[in-house]
Amino acid sequence: MPGFEWFGDEERREVQEVLDTGVLFRYGFDQVRKGRWKAKAFEQELALRLNAGYAHLCSSGTAALNVALAACGVGAGDEVIVPPFTFVATVEALLTAGAIPVFADIDDTLCLDPAAVRAAITSRTRAVIPVHMCGAMADMNALKPICDENRLILIEDTCQSLGATCDGKSAGTFGHAGCFSFDSVKTVTCGEGGVVVTSDPQIYEKAHAVADHGHDHIGNDRGLENHPILGTNYRISELNAAVGLAQLRKLDRMLEVQRVHKQALKDALSHFSCVTFRRIPDPAGDSATFLSFFLKNEEQARQIAHDLGAAGMDGCFYWYDNNWHYLRRWDHFKHMRAAARLPIHLQPGPDYTALSLLRSDQIMSRTLSLQIKLSWTSEELERRADILQDVMKHAEK
Ligand SMILES: *Cc1c(COP(=O)(O)O)cnc(C)c1O
């Protein structure tokens, strides 16, 4: 998963170029920046790589979600359908926007279940945010028509799945907007950063304005620009963008290595009858940052997670107990504990403490994910395959 495994001279060179000019700001200073525009270059290369039309960098993936929501017109009082298996940031962005998170179950893709989304739609639903978890995609061929039929905004949280595709089309380009993160553990990292992509010029125009105090970015004198709408500051710095630019150029090699490493671990597990693998709508488009699989029941999953850890296998995740990635343990959210009053406190929202998502619980309680690393040697890969087989043999006894 993490691009930080592959930092090298390429990243150093890009950062040095920025430091040499002294211009860390992504806009303006045309005379002193010596033609170096790292954020702009990153946006152009990414839009091209994803065939996305437009890309606008932000200070984080969470910021990108906030920018996308605003640019798509999703705001106060709007219901937005999200999965319970996601990083909490998806939900935080909704609360910041004043929107109301509505949870729909996941299915064996570990992403939103299309039937559950359909059932969750009300007259107040404004948008759906599928989250492409752990490197692979939701069933967009089923989810997109549901959004289209009901005239709902479709925003993809693609923060964990840069490089994933379905039928050759990039994750993040199926709906109105796609959001990516480049935080320190993501496939491509720049320390802190994120991006909104869209093929809609009007959404793009709003996005770059929202992320920079409403500036229209017309002309080359910032002081003379107009501000057609209110915004805030979700800008990225040139230093972060420089690192991301070098990383992005390594993406295809990263995907290749991840896929080889993942296949080796998958092969090691494939003849155990208690294991079934996560369903990936288009397996060829898996970005392969994780190998996710289901055990027979919760007890077996817990046992195997424990045994793998004891045998020296790091990077094994049992999300069901995790208090960042699965709703079950988000007590602060369920009780809406915030530092200050949120818009949702002023509206009669759902009672999240009473929320019950049995199908998601049934799936998540049986799910393990193994993180796939870039830096493994063939010996390390073999060691891991051996541990997996030993632990599984023992479990099947
Ligand atoms: C990482 C992540 C985010 C937030 O990204 P940041 O850059 O850390 O703000 C949002 N959603 C998901 C699913 C993520 O994994």
Side-chain angles (χ1 to χ4, degrees):
M1 186 183 192
F4 68 72
E5 294 178 276
W6 276 9
F7 280 147
D9 287 340
E10 303 80 6
E11 284 78 3
R12 245 167 260 138
R13 196 166 48 239
E14 294 295 330
V15 172
Q16 193 60 51
E17 279 192 15
V18 174
L19 290 174
D20 286 347
T21 67
V23 180
L24 311 190
F25 195 54
R26 67 157 299 170
Y27 296 112
F29 298 95
D30 296 23
Q31 292 81 12
V32 277
R33 66 190 310 143
K34 301 185 185 154
R36 289 167 190 173
W37 302 88
K38 299 305 177 186
K40 256 187 209 169
F42 190 173
E43 287 165 353
Q44 281 164 2
E45 289 190 27
L46 186 73
L48 214 61
R49 170 63 181 73
L50 301 179
N51 198 12
Y54 305 90
H56 185 73
L57 285 169
C58 301
S59 49
S60 70
T62 311
L65 283 162
N66 272 114
V67 168
L69 287 166
C72 292
V74 182
D78 291 331
E79 288 184 3
V80 179
I81 299 172
V82 287
F85 181 42
T86 179
F87 181 52
V88 68
T90 321
V91 173
E92 288 169 338
L94 292 177
L95 296 179
T96 312
I100 300 165
V102 172
F103 292 89
D105 272 315
I106 57 166
D107 62 16
D108 60 349
T109 62
L110 295 183
C111 302
L112 276 178
D113 172 13
V117 169
R118 209 184 271 284
I121 295 172
T122 72
S123 59
R124 298 212 297 172
T125 308
R126 180 94 171 101
V128 179
I129 307 185
V131 184
H132 304 302
M133 284 302 278
C134 304
M137 288 182 64
D139 187 354
M140 295 309 291
N141 288 331
L143 288 166
K144 183 158 168 35
I146 295 172
C147 293
D148 290 346
E149 278 164 39
N150 293 278
R151 293 205 183 84
L152 300 177
I153 297 288
L154 174 57
I155 297 173
E156 296 170 78
D157 181 337
T158 322
C159 288
Q160 295 197 2
S161 295
L162 175 64
T165 58
C166 182
D167 305 330
K169 192 173 164 61
S170 290
T173 65
F174 282 74
H176 295 82
C179 301
F180 297 80
S181 164
F182 307 117
D183 80 20
S184 61
V185 295
K186 298 305 206 284
T187 301
V188 156
T189 178
C190 67
E192 299 286 0
V195 74
V196 181
V197 303
T198 182
S199 60
D200 182 331
Q202 287 177 327
I203 293 174
Y204 171 69
E205 286 306 321
K206 290 217 177 85
H208 69 73
V210 166
D212 183 25
H213 306 296
H215 276 263
D216 63 7
H217 302 124
I218 293 173
N220 59 3
D221 186 342
R222 191 169 167 82
L224 295 179
E225 285 176 18
N226 284 316
H227 313 97
I229 54 173
L230 288 166
T232 183
N233 178 4
Y234 286 131
R235 290 187 309 256
I236 195 165
S237 92
E238 283 287 276
L239 287 174
N240 294 76
V243 176
L245 185 59
Q247 285 261 297
L248 177 64
R249 292 170 180 160
K250 300 177 179 180
L251 175 61
D252 288 313
R253 265 199 303 136
M254 288 175 183
L255 294 173
E256 250 173 67
V257 171
Q258 280 169 184
R259 284 169 181 156
V260 171
H261 288 181
K262 175 170 174 174
Q263 191 60 47
L265 296 191
K266 192 173 177 188
D267 289 346
L269 280 180
S270 57
H271 26 263
F272 293 99
S273 62
C274 61
V275 173
T276 48
F277 294 103
R278 167 193 188 171
R279 179 166 64 89
I280 297 178
D282 178 6
D286 180 12
S287 80
T289 55
F290 282 92
L291 172 62
S292 299
F293 54 100
F294 310 114
L295 284 313
K296 279 197 182 130
N297 52 44
E298 178 176 343
E299 190 192 348
Q300 190 182 46
R302 283 182 187 281
Q303 187 63 47
I304 287 170
H306 171 269
D307 293 352
L308 286 174
M313 184 96 148
D314 60 349
C316 173
F317 292 88
Y318 183 59
W319 306 111
Y320 192 55
D321 285 346
N322 182 297
N323 64 12
W324 280 16
H325 287 84
Y326 189 54
L327 173 72
R328 188 171 83 102
R329 300 276 305 272
W330 294 348
D331 288 336
H332 62 334
F333 169 78
K334 289 183 184 174
H335 295 278
M336 281 300 151
R337 280 197 290 270
R341 194 153 52 198
L342 295 170
I344 201 167
H345 288 130
L346 302 177
Q347 305 155 348
D351 178 4
Y352 294 107
T353 61
L355 200 63
S356 148
L357 291 157
L358 285 179
R359 281 201 51 218
S360 302
D361 280 349
Q362 275 167 13
I363 292 166
M364 293 313 297
S365 63
R366 296 187 296 118
T367 303
L368 295 186
S369 296
L370 303 176
Q371 190 180 24
I372 306 297
K373 287 261 184 98
L374 295 167
S375 52
W376 290 340
T377 59
S378 49
E379 292 78 29
E380 176 61 13
L381 203 51
E382 242 171 76
R383 183 184 78 88
R384 287 177 179 264
D386 288 345
I387 293 175
L388 273 177
Q389 296 203 320
D390 287 347
V391 166
M392 294 308 303
K393 265 180 215 153
H394 186 72
E396 286 215 311
K397 261 191 207 151

